[in-house]
Amino acid sequence: MQLPSSPEFENRSSCHPDEGLQKLLDRLIVKIERDELVRQTTNYLRESLQANRVVLYYFYEQWQGQVTFESLSADEYSILGFTGPSGCFNHEYAALYLEGRIRAIADIELEPIQDCHRDFLRSMQVRANLVVPILIPRGLWGLLVAHHCQHPRNWTIADIELMQTGAQTLATDSNILES
């Protein structure tokens, strides 16, 4: 069977087919390098902090996001794909994180937080958490979050500084800045 020749197809085939393939490969390389950096960063932070879980909560739309990476001390702590309660993370909280807010909660049961936030943390087995924003020039890219699940934990200045360094590493990576 022979296909009829089409001038439209011939014009497209005379373009450089390698250009489209190269663009695709370039995007894949950026994604792979970005993902590897996030994976290494979350693993390093979890091991250094001796936390049960360190996650990247990535914002894919304004104040809508999900856990896209996690490093776990045990598989039972997985929350990959969690999006959080709708409406709980609002413009007020976003504004605080855009200003560089760092939130260290030693015990979610004693901290004065919104009920939806406490319930959300309970649903993920969180007892203590530490949240640091990942700020890039165009805004809040995501949150780097450490969770301690078994019991309360007083986060130290060194813990906070370590998380800030991790967030800064991500915020200044060219592959993240381009995403």
Side-chain angles (χ1 to χ4, degrees), residues 2 12 14 16 24 27 36 48 54 57 59 67 71 74 81 88 95 101 114 126-127 133 156 158 170 174 177:
Q2 187 175 20
R12 283 190 199 146
S14 67
H16 297 24
L24 175 64
R27 284 196 320 259
E36 185 56 27
S48 297
V54 172
Y57 188 85
F59 291 102
V67 174
S71 177
C88 197
R101 173 193 200 186
Q114 287 186 0
V126 174
R127 189 61 190 265
T156 67
L170 297 176
S174 63
L177 293 171

Side-chain angles (χ1 to χ4, degrees), residues 18 67 79 106 152:
D18 292 343
V67 174
I79 59 169

Side-chain angles (χ1 to χ4, degrees), residues 34-36 38-39 42 54-56 67-71 80:
R34 180 197 64 210
D35 290 358
E36 185 56 27
V38 173
R39 191 175 342 279
T42 55
V54 172
V55 302
L56 168 65
V67 174
T68 56
F69 283 89
E70 63 184 2
S71 177
L80 192 63

Side-chain angles (χ1 to χ4, degrees), residues 5 8 10 13 19-20 37 52 54 57-58 61 70 94 101 105 107 114-115 118 120 124 130 146 153 159 162 174:
S5 176
E8 203 175 299
E10 288 171 7
S13 64
E19 286 178 27
L37 176 64
N52 297 115
V54 172
Y57 188 85
Y58 168 72
E61 283 184 27
E70 63 184 2
R101 173 193 200 186
I105 298 176
D107 187 348
Q114 287 186 0
D115 288 339
R118 187 180 332 278
F120 175 62
M124 297 183 301
L130 174 57
R153 174 179 178 160
D159 295 339
L162 187 64
S174 63

